Amino acid sequence: MGLRIVIDSASDLTKEQADSFGLDYMPLKTIFGDDEYLDGVTLSHHAFYEKLVESGIFPTTSQVPPHEFETKFKEIKDAGDTAVVITLSSLLSGTYQSAHLALEGYEDCIHLVDSKNVCIGEQNLIMYAIRLRDEGFSAEEIAARLDEKKNYICLFALFDTLEYLKRGGRLSSTAAWAGNLLSIKPVISVEKGEVVILGKARGSKNGNNLLIQQVSAHNGIDFSMPYCVGYTGMEDSMLQKYLKDSSSLWENEVPVENIRISSVGSTIGTHAGPGAIAVSFFHR
């Protein structure tokens, strides 16, 4: 009997990365007009941003449907395996509800965890689950530990533009125009499973400082647990600047070149647009 970890693509791990960690991968769908893609499978993060910038079509994302989870759960049970299933926040997508609907009849072998997070915050919880799996914990024990430790995860992000929040209907055209004119950079967080705006900084340098302040305000980084930084777009120059500006957070604990970096896919990238940066960690 084997132990499996099932994840969704909103964690911003790609199918290739999931395979390397021995994970079962459930992609959300990304839709540009009439074209539908499997996030992280038939649409790479790089290709997503190319389409986002060049196509002129604002994309949508679609949850993993219940029947896909049911097919996966049947496969796991028929193999005599057990599994921990980790999804993005139930308050941000119906993917957790899909998994819950598919759970009937599989409760003896499937343990479902609502990460209450997304993007690299969800990814950190998955990396912790991998560690517990490799240390020999059971699926039930891993799920219990994840449900406890997920409340310690912090995720902060700095958006470079308000344009994509406007295009997605999350912000008025007037507010977006004024914000871009003044180089306003919103700083967001995921709190109790929902995205909240923590503040607005004038320019990237002030935005980076606000991110650094948020890390300190939440008791700092527990370096014994997984941590990660992320970026949206086709290159990571903004993230490299943040790492340089925030070196005081890392320099006594880990070389900056050893910090795990993840590109951010379509679930958050649709609303952030290119040029955003994020940091996620378990607080002390």
Side-chain angles (χ1 to χ4, degrees):
M1 184 172 73
L3 190 157
R4 292 158 69 168
I5 298 173
V6 181
I7 69 165
D8 62 48
S9 64
S11 64
D12 292 333
L13 289 170
T14 65
K15 176 66 164 61
E16 185 178 9
Q17 289 172 318
D19 289 345
S20 72
F21 289 120
L23 308 173
D24 288 76
Y25 193 75
M26 308 294 289
L28 280 75
K29 294 176 178 63
T30 304
I31 304 156
F32 281 89
D34 296 329
D35 298 324
E36 184 175 283
Y37 302 90
L38 298 178
D39 181 28
V41 180
T42 59
L43 184 69
S44 70
H45 294 177
H46 190 278
F48 164 73
Y49 288 106
E50 284 184 329
K51 289 182 177 294
L52 184 68
V53 172
E54 296 172 6
S55 72
I57 300 172
F58 190 78
T60 59
T61 57
S62 177
Q63 68 198 48
V64 182
H67 71 86
E68 291 185 11
F69 277 114
E70 186 168 7
T71 299
K72 177 61 67 176
F73 295 171
K74 185 177 187 304
E75 172 194 317
I76 291 166
K77 185 166 186 172
D78 288 350
D81 294 338
T82 59
V84 180
V85 181
I86 305 167
T87 75
L88 78 159
S89 172
S90 59
L91 298 176
L92 299 177
S93 165
T95 295
Y96 173 84
Q97 284 83 357
S98 288
H100 194 269
L101 285 171
L103 190 61
E104 186 176 355
Y106 299 100
E107 296 91 344
D108 57 332
C109 61
I110 303 295
H111 300 271
L112 185 56
V113 177
D114 177 355
S115 73
K116 293 293 184 186
N117 225 296
V118 68
C119 186
I120 58 174
E122 181 185 355
Q123 189 175 136
N124 280 339
L125 196 67
I126 291 167
M127 299 308 291
Y128 181 49
I130 292 169
R131 179 191 299 181
L132 295 174
R133 177 198 66 188
D134 294 347
E135 290 175 356
F137 288 88
S138 70
E140 185 176 8
E141 290 168 336
I142 293 172
R145 290 203 175 206
L146 298 185
D147 276 328
E148 175 193 357
K149 295 297 288 187
K150 69 186 182 186
N151 299 310
Y152 289 79
I153 294 176
C154 296
L155 170 62
F156 305 114
L158 174 68
F159 286 12
D160 186 51
T161 175
L162 300 172
E163 175 65 22
Y164 295 88
L165 286 171
K166 182 198 80 175
R167 288 172 65 181
R170 306 295 177 97
L171 194 68
S172 72
S173 296
T174 303
W177 177 82
N180 287 331
L181 188 68
L182 297 171
S183 294
I184 297 298
K185 314 290 184 185
V187 176
I188 66 128
S189 174
V190 176
E191 296 182 3
K192 297 180 180 178
E194 294 188 282
V195 175
V196 298
I197 295 180
L198 293 178
K200 298 174 184 177
R202 186 98 178 256
S204 296
K205 184 174 182 179
N206 288 334
N208 284 352
N209 289 338
L210 190 51
L211 282 185
I212 294 166
Q213 291 167 16
Q214 287 298 325
V215 174
S216 300
H218 287 75
N219 299 322
I221 300 167
D222 180 354
F223 283 96
S224 70
M225 295 291 285
Y227 52 91
C228 187
V229 294
Y231 67 95
T232 66
M234 292 177 279
E235 50 86 25
D236 67 351
S237 58
M238 298 294 289
L239 179 63
Q240 294 302 326
K241 184 178 185 304
Y242 165 72
L243 288 174
K244 184 177 180 180
D245 290 346
S246 65
S247 59
S248 60
L249 296 175
W250 321 92
E251 59 190 0
N252 295 326
E253 299 288 346
V254 61
V256 169
E257 61 269 19
N258 289 354
I259 296 170
R260 193 162 56 86
I261 295 175
S262 175
S263 61
V264 173
S266 61
T267 305
I268 291 297
T270 293
H271 305 289
I277 59 173
V279 57
S280 179
F281 57 91
F282 291 82
H283 71 70
R284 294 192 178 100

